[in-house]
Amino acid sequence: MILAIDFFFVNGMPFFVSKSEKINYVSVTRMKTRGIASIIQAISRDCRQYQSRGFQVSDIHADNVFGSEKIQDALRPIIMHIYAANEHVGFIEN
C-alpha cells in the first residue's frame, strides 16, 4: 500500500492528510503542532488503521516537510519518498 501525506491549513490551523493510492481512502487529522513527535504519531496512527483492515503500508510519498531522519527512522521498514522543495506529491495535492 502506498500513501501520500501532506499538511493543509484552514484559518491558520494545521491539518495532516493522508491518501492511499489504490483505494483512495483519505484521512484528515487536526494537528496541535507540526513537530516531529506529532508527525510520527499521526503517520503511525494512519498506518495502524490500514493494518487493522488487512493492508500493509510499504511506501509513503511526502514533500520535504517530512524529510527528517527522525521521522524516517521511526517509521522503518516503511520507505519514505521525499520530494524536493519545489516538487509536489501529485495524488495528494489534487
Side-chain angles (χ1 to χ4, degrees):
M1 173 75 58
I2 298 173
L3 285 184
I5 60 175
D6 203 358
F7 279 107
F8 69 90
F9 297 86
V10 176
N11 294 331
M13 293 183 295
F15 289 84
F16 171 81
V17 61
S18 68
K19 181 179 178 183
S20 63
E21 187 177 44
K22 296 287 183 182
I23 61 175
N24 289 319
Y25 177 74
V26 177
S27 173
V28 176
T29 305
R30 183 180 180 278
M31 304 289 285
K32 292 181 181 178
T33 69
R34 292 194 310 155
I36 291 174
S38 297
I39 290 172
I40 292 169
Q41 184 179 19
I43 296 170
S44 297
R45 181 190 59 86
D46 284 2
C47 289
R48 282 192 305 273
Q49 282 183 338
Y50 283 104
Q51 190 172 17
S52 71
R53 289 163 178 83
F55 298 101
Q56 185 66 39
V57 176
S58 60
D59 296 80
I60 295 177
H61 293 258
D63 58 19
N64 64 339
V65 173
F66 301 93
S68 166
E69 288 293 324
K70 290 181 182 179
I71 295 171
Q72 294 180 27
D73 290 342
L75 297 175
R76 291 202 201 292
I78 296 172
I79 299 169
M80 296 285 291
H81 302 274
I82 305 299
Y83 291 57
N86 58 349
E87 294 180 332
H88 296 285
V89 182
F91 69 95
I92 193 74
E93 298 284 340
N94 293 336

Short mmCIF file of all heavy atoms in Angstrom, two decimals, residues 1-8 15-21 23-29 39 42-50 57 59-62 66 89 91-93:
data_model
loop_
_atom_site.label_atom_id
_atom_site.label_comp_id
_atom_site.label_asym_id
_atom_site.label_seq_id
_atom_site.Cartn_x
_atom_site.Cartn_y
_atom_site.Cartn_z
N MET A 1 0.85 -1.17 0.00
CA MET A 1 0.00 0.00 0.00
C MET A 1 0.90 1.23 0.00
O MET A 1 1.84 1.32 0.77
CB MET A 1 -0.89 -0.03 1.25
CG MET A 1 -1.71 1.20 1.47
SD MET A 1 -3.13 1.39 0.40
CE MET A 1 -4.04 -0.07 0.73
N ILE A 2 0.58 2.15 -0.86
CA ILE A 2 1.33 3.40 -0.97
C ILE A 2 0.46 4.53 -0.45
O ILE A 2 -0.70 4.67 -0.84
CB ILE A 2 1.74 3.67 -2.42
CG1 ILE A 2 2.66 2.56 -2.91
CG2 ILE A 2 2.40 5.03 -2.55
CD1 ILE A 2 3.00 2.64 -4.37
N LEU A 3 1.03 5.35 0.45
CA LEU A 3 0.35 6.52 0.99
C LEU A 3 1.04 7.78 0.51
O LEU A 3 2.25 7.79 0.32
CB LEU A 3 0.40 6.53 2.52
CG LEU A 3 -0.46 5.61 3.32
CD1 LEU A 3 -0.28 5.89 4.80
CD2 LEU A 3 -1.90 5.75 2.95
N ALA A 4 0.27 8.83 0.37
CA ALA A 4 0.81 10.17 0.17
C ALA A 4 0.34 10.99 1.37
O ALA A 4 -0.79 10.84 1.83
CB ALA A 4 0.31 10.78 -1.12
N ILE A 5 1.23 11.84 1.91
CA ILE A 5 0.88 12.64 3.08
C ILE A 5 1.25 14.09 2.84
O ILE A 5 2.14 14.40 2.06
CB ILE A 5 1.57 12.10 4.35
CG1 ILE A 5 3.09 12.12 4.22
CG2 ILE A 5 1.06 10.71 4.68
CD1 ILE A 5 3.83 11.72 5.49
N ASP A 6 0.54 14.97 3.55
CA ASP A 6 0.81 16.40 3.41
C ASP A 6 0.11 17.14 4.54
O ASP A 6 -0.64 16.54 5.32
CB ASP A 6 0.30 16.91 2.06
CG ASP A 6 1.01 18.18 1.60
OD1 ASP A 6 1.88 18.70 2.35
OD2 ASP A 6 0.69 18.66 0.51
N PHE A 7 0.36 18.43 4.63
CA PHE A 7 -0.34 19.32 5.54
C PHE A 7 -1.16 20.29 4.71
O PHE A 7 -0.78 20.67 3.61
CB PHE A 7 0.64 20.14 6.39
CG PHE A 7 1.18 19.40 7.57
CD1 PHE A 7 2.48 18.94 7.58
CD2 PHE A 7 0.39 19.18 8.69
CE1 PHE A 7 2.98 18.27 8.67
CE2 PHE A 7 0.88 18.51 9.79
CZ PHE A 7 2.18 18.05 9.78
N PHE A 8 -2.31 20.70 5.25
CA PHE A 8 -3.03 21.83 4.70
C PHE A 8 -3.52 22.66 5.88
O PHE A 8 -3.51 22.21 7.03
CB PHE A 8 -4.17 21.40 3.76
CG PHE A 8 -5.33 20.72 4.41
CD1 PHE A 8 -6.42 21.44 4.89
CD2 PHE A 8 -5.36 19.34 4.53
CE1 PHE A 8 -7.50 20.80 5.48
CE2 PHE A 8 -6.43 18.69 5.11
CZ PHE A 8 -7.51 19.42 5.59
N PHE A 15 -3.66 20.82 9.45
CA PHE A 15 -4.30 19.51 9.34
C PHE A 15 -3.36 18.57 8.60
O PHE A 15 -2.75 18.96 7.59
CB PHE A 15 -5.63 19.60 8.58
CG PHE A 15 -6.72 20.29 9.34
CD1 PHE A 15 -6.82 21.67 9.34
CD2 PHE A 15 -7.64 19.56 10.07
CE1 PHE A 15 -7.81 22.32 10.05
CE2 PHE A 15 -8.65 20.20 10.78
CZ PHE A 15 -8.74 21.58 10.77
N PHE A 16 -3.25 17.35 9.08
CA PHE A 16 -2.46 16.31 8.44
C PHE A 16 -3.42 15.49 7.59
O PHE A 16 -4.48 15.08 8.06
CB PHE A 16 -1.81 15.42 9.51
CG PHE A 16 -1.14 14.20 8.96
CD1 PHE A 16 0.13 14.29 8.42
CD2 PHE A 16 -1.76 12.97 9.01
CE1 PHE A 16 0.75 13.16 7.92
CE2 PHE A 16 -1.15 11.85 8.51
CZ PHE A 16 0.12 11.94 7.97
N VAL A 17 -3.06 15.27 6.34
CA VAL A 17 -3.91 14.49 5.44
C VAL A 17 -3.09 13.37 4.84
O VAL A 17 -1.91 13.55 4.49
CB VAL A 17 -4.54 15.39 4.34
CG1 VAL A 17 -3.48 16.04 3.47
CG2 VAL A 17 -5.51 14.60 3.48
N SER A 18 -3.70 12.19 4.73
CA SER A 18 -3.07 11.07 4.05
C SER A 18 -4.09 10.48 3.08
O SER A 18 -5.30 10.52 3.32
CB SER A 18 -2.59 10.00 5.04
OG SER A 18 -3.69 9.35 5.65
N LYS A 19 -3.57 9.94 1.98
CA LYS A 19 -4.43 9.34 0.97
C LYS A 19 -3.73 8.12 0.41
O LYS A 19 -2.55 8.18 0.06
CB LYS A 19 -4.70 10.35 -0.16
CG LYS A 19 -5.61 9.81 -1.24
CD LYS A 19 -5.86 10.86 -2.30
CE LYS A 19 -6.73 10.32 -3.40
NZ LYS A 19 -6.94 11.30 -4.47
N SER A 20 -4.46 7.02 0.33
CA SER A 20 -3.89 5.80 -0.24
C SER A 20 -4.04 5.85 -1.76
O SER A 20 -5.01 6.38 -2.28
CB SER A 20 -4.58 4.56 0.32
OG SER A 20 -5.93 4.56 -0.03
N GLU A 21 -3.05 5.28 -2.42
CA GLU A 21 -3.03 5.38 -3.89
C GLU A 21 -4.09 4.48 -4.53
O GLU A 21 -4.77 4.91 -5.46
CB GLU A 21 -1.64 5.01 -4.41
CG GLU A 21 -1.49 5.24 -5.88
CD GLU A 21 -0.10 4.94 -6.37
OE1 GLU A 21 0.47 3.92 -5.97
OE2 GLU A 21 0.41 5.74 -7.16
N ILE A 23 -6.86 2.55 -3.05
CA ILE A 23 -8.25 2.56 -2.61
C ILE A 23 -8.78 3.97 -2.39
O ILE A 23 -9.96 4.14 -2.08
CB ILE A 23 -8.46 1.69 -1.36
CG1 ILE A 23 -7.63 2.20 -0.19
CG2 ILE A 23 -8.16 0.24 -1.65
CD1 ILE A 23 -7.88 1.47 1.12
N ASN A 24 -7.94 4.98 -2.54
CA ASN A 24 -8.33 6.40 -2.43
C ASN A 24 -9.00 6.74 -1.10
O ASN A 24 -9.89 7.57 -1.06
CB ASN A 24 -9.22 6.81 -3.60
CG ASN A 24 -8.46 6.88 -4.88
OD1 ASN A 24 -7.34 7.36 -4.92
ND2 ASN A 24 -9.06 6.39 -5.95
N TYR A 25 -8.57 6.10 -0.03
CA TYR A 25 -9.08 6.44 1.30
C TYR A 25 -8.33 7.66 1.79
O TYR A 25 -7.10 7.70 1.77
CB TYR A 25 -8.90 5.27 2.26
CG TYR A 25 -9.34 5.57 3.66
CD1 TYR A 25 -10.70 5.64 3.97
CD2 TYR A 25 -8.41 5.80 4.67
CE1 TYR A 25 -11.11 5.93 5.25
CE2 TYR A 25 -8.83 6.08 5.95
CZ TYR A 25 -10.18 6.14 6.24
OH TYR A 25 -10.58 6.42 7.51
N VAL A 26 -9.06 8.66 2.25
CA VAL A 26 -8.46 9.91 2.73
C VAL A 26 -8.73 10.03 4.23
O VAL A 26 -9.85 9.84 4.69
CB VAL A 26 -9.06 11.14 2.00
CG1 VAL A 26 -8.49 12.43 2.55
CG2 VAL A 26 -8.78 11.04 0.50
N SER A 27 -7.68 10.35 4.96
CA SER A 27 -7.78 10.56 6.40
C SER A 27 -7.25 11.95 6.72
O SER A 27 -6.21 12.36 6.20
CB SER A 27 -6.95 9.50 7.13
OG SER A 27 -6.91 9.78 8.51
N VAL A 28 -7.97 12.68 7.58
CA VAL A 28 -7.57 14.03 7.95
C VAL A 28 -7.54 14.12 9.48
O VAL A 28 -8.47 13.67 10.14
CB VAL A 28 -8.54 15.09 7.39
CG1 VAL A 28 -8.16 16.48 7.86
CG2 VAL A 28 -8.57 15.03 5.87
N THR A 29 -6.47 14.70 10.01
CA THR A 29 -6.30 14.86 11.45
C THR A 29 -5.90 16.30 11.74
O THR A 29 -4.95 16.80 11.16
CB THR A 29 -5.19 13.92 11.99
OG1 THR A 29 -5.50 12.58 11.61
CG2 THR A 29 -5.06 14.03 13.49
N ILE A 39 4.07 14.51 14.12
CA ILE A 39 4.03 13.95 12.76
C ILE A 39 4.16 12.43 12.82
O ILE A 39 3.39 11.70 12.17
CB ILE A 39 5.13 14.56 11.89
CG1 ILE A 39 4.81 16.03 11.60
CG2 ILE A 39 5.29 13.78 10.58
CD1 ILE A 39 5.93 16.79 10.91
N ALA A 42 0.90 10.89 14.03
CA ALA A 42 -0.17 10.93 13.03
C ALA A 42 0.04 9.88 11.95
O ALA A 42 -0.90 9.17 11.56
CB ALA A 42 -0.26 12.32 12.41
N ILE A 43 1.27 9.76 11.47
CA ILE A 43 1.56 8.76 10.43
C ILE A 43 1.37 7.36 10.99
O ILE A 43 0.76 6.50 10.34
CB ILE A 43 2.98 8.93 9.87
CG1 ILE A 43 3.12 10.27 9.16
CG2 ILE A 43 3.33 7.79 8.91
CD1 ILE A 43 4.55 10.63 8.78
N SER A 44 1.87 7.12 12.18
CA SER A 44 1.73 5.79 12.80
C SER A 44 0.27 5.42 13.00
O SER A 44 -0.13 4.27 12.78
CB SER A 44 2.48 5.75 14.13
OG SER A 44 3.85 5.96 13.94
N ARG A 45 -0.53 6.38 13.42
CA ARG A 45 -1.96 6.13 13.61
C ARG A 45 -2.61 5.70 12.30
O ARG A 45 -3.36 4.72 12.25
CB ARG A 45 -2.65 7.38 14.15
CG ARG A 45 -4.15 7.18 14.40
CD ARG A 45 -4.85 8.51 14.68
NE ARG A 45 -4.70 9.45 13.57
CZ ARG A 45 -5.51 9.49 12.51
NH1 ARG A 45 -6.50 8.65 12.40
NH2 ARG A 45 -5.30 10.37 11.55
N ASP A 46 -2.31 6.41 11.22
CA ASP A 46 -2.87 6.06 9.93
C ASP A 46 -2.40 4.68 9.47
O ASP A 46 -3.19 3.89 8.94
CB ASP A 46 -2.54 7.12 8.88
CG ASP A 46 -3.38 8.37 9.03
OD1 ASP A 46 -4.21 8.43 9.96
OD2 ASP A 46 -3.21 9.29 8.21
N CYS A 47 -1.12 4.38 9.67
CA CYS A 47 -0.60 3.06 9.27
C CYS A 47 -1.28 1.94 10.06
O CYS A 47 -1.59 0.89 9.51
CB CYS A 47 0.92 3.01 9.46
SG CYS A 47 1.82 4.01 8.27
N ARG A 48 -1.55 2.18 11.35
CA ARG A 48 -2.25 1.18 12.16
C ARG A 48 -3.69 0.98 11.67
O ARG A 48 -4.20 -0.15 11.69
CB ARG A 48 -2.26 1.59 13.63
CG ARG A 48 -0.95 1.33 14.34
CD ARG A 48 -1.08 1.48 15.86
NE ARG A 48 -1.64 2.76 16.27
CZ ARG A 48 -0.93 3.87 16.48
NH1 ARG A 48 0.39 3.85 16.32
NH2 ARG A 48 -1.52 4.98 16.86
N GLN A 49 -4.33 2.05 11.22
CA GLN A 49 -5.68 1.92 10.67
C GLN A 49 -5.69 1.00 9.46
O GLN A 49 -6.56 0.14 9.33
CB GLN A 49 -6.24 3.28 10.27
CG GLN A 49 -6.72 4.10 11.42
CD GLN A 49 -7.33 5.42 10.95
OE1 GLN A 49 -7.05 5.90 9.85
NE2 GLN A 49 -8.16 6.02 11.80
N TYR A 50 -4.73 1.20 8.57
CA TYR A 50 -4.65 0.34 7.38
C TYR A 50 -4.33 -1.10 7.79
O TYR A 50 -4.92 -2.04 7.26
CB TYR A 50 -3.58 0.85 6.40
CG TYR A 50 -4.06 2.04 5.61
CD1 TYR A 50 -3.62 3.32 5.93
CD2 TYR A 50 -4.93 1.89 4.55
CE1 TYR A 50 -4.06 4.42 5.21
CE2 TYR A 50 -5.37 2.98 3.82
CZ TYR A 50 -4.94 4.25 4.16
OH TYR A 50 -5.38 5.32 3.43
N VAL A 57 1.23 -0.77 4.83
CA VAL A 57 1.83 0.40 4.18
C VAL A 57 3.30 0.10 3.93
O VAL A 57 4.04 -0.22 4.85
CB VAL A 57 1.67 1.66 5.04
CG1 VAL A 57 2.39 2.84 4.39
CG2 VAL A 57 0.20 1.98 5.26
N ASP A 59 5.19 2.12 1.36
CA ASP A 59 5.84 3.34 0.89
C ASP A 59 4.98 4.55 1.25
O ASP A 59 3.75 4.48 1.22
CB ASP A 59 5.99 3.32 -0.64
CG ASP A 59 6.89 2.21 -1.12
OD1 ASP A 59 6.44 1.06 -1.21
OD2 ASP A 59 8.05 2.53 -1.40
N ILE A 60 5.67 5.65 1.56
CA ILE A 60 5.00 6.92 1.82
C ILE A 60 5.68 7.99 0.96
O ILE A 60 6.89 8.12 0.97
CB ILE A 60 5.07 7.31 3.30
CG1 ILE A 60 4.30 6.30 4.16
CG2 ILE A 60 4.52 8.72 3.51
CD1 ILE A 60 4.36 6.57 5.65
N HIS A 61 4.86 8.73 0.23
CA HIS A 61 5.34 9.84 -0.58
C HIS A 61 4.97 11.14 0.12
O HIS A 61 3.81 11.32 0.52
CB HIS A 61 4.70 9.80 -1.98
CG HIS A 61 5.15 8.63 -2.79
ND1 HIS A 61 6.09 8.74 -3.78
CD2 HIS A 61 4.81 7.31 -2.74
CE1 HIS A 61 6.29 7.55 -4.32
NE2 HIS A 61 5.52 6.66 -3.69
N ALA A 62 5.95 12.03 0.28
CA ALA A 62 5.73 13.27 1.02
C ALA A 62 6.66 14.36 0.52
O ALA A 62 7.68 14.08 -0.11
CB ALA A 62 5.96 13.04 2.50
N PHE A 66 8.48 16.48 5.61
CA PHE A 66 8.56 15.19 6.28
C PHE A 66 9.92 14.52 6.10
O PHE A 66 10.08 13.34 6.38
CB PHE A 66 7.47 14.25 5.74
CG PHE A 66 6.09 14.80 5.93
CD1 PHE A 66 5.47 15.55 4.94
CD2 PHE A 66 5.40 14.59 7.12
CE1 PHE A 66 4.19 16.05 5.11
CE2 PHE A 66 4.12 15.10 7.30
CZ PHE A 66 3.52 15.83 6.29
N VAL A 89 3.69 16.25 -4.46
CA VAL A 89 3.27 14.86 -4.49
C VAL A 89 1.91 14.85 -5.18
O VAL A 89 0.91 15.24 -4.61
CB VAL A 89 3.17 14.28 -3.06
CG1 VAL A 89 2.78 12.81 -3.12
CG2 VAL A 89 4.48 14.46 -2.32
N PHE A 91 -0.70 12.87 -6.30
CA PHE A 91 -2.05 12.39 -5.97
C PHE A 91 -2.56 12.88 -4.62
O PHE A 91 -3.74 12.72 -4.34
CB PHE A 91 -2.19 10.88 -6.15
CG PHE A 91 -1.45 10.00 -5.19
CD1 PHE A 91 -2.07 9.49 -4.07
CD2 PHE A 91 -0.12 9.65 -5.43
CE1 PHE A 91 -1.40 8.66 -3.19
CE2 PHE A 91 0.54 8.81 -4.57
CZ PHE A 91 -0.09 8.32 -3.44
N ILE A 92 -1.76 13.53 -3.80
CA ILE A 92 -2.27 14.14 -2.56
C ILE A 92 -2.57 15.62 -2.78
O ILE A 92 -3.40 16.20 -2.10
CB ILE A 92 -1.31 13.93 -1.37
CG1 ILE A 92 -1.98 14.28 -0.04
CG2 ILE A 92 -0.06 14.76 -1.52
CD1 ILE A 92 -2.96 13.30 0.44
N GLU A 93 -1.92 16.24 -3.75
CA GLU A 93 -2.10 17.67 -4.00
C GLU A 93 -3.38 17.98 -4.76
O GLU A 93 -3.84 19.10 -4.74
CB GLU A 93 -0.91 18.22 -4.79
CG GLU A 93 0.42 18.12 -4.09
CD GLU A 93 0.61 19.15 -2.99
OE1 GLU A 93 -0.11 20.18 -3.00
OE2 GLU A 93 1.46 18.93 -2.13
#
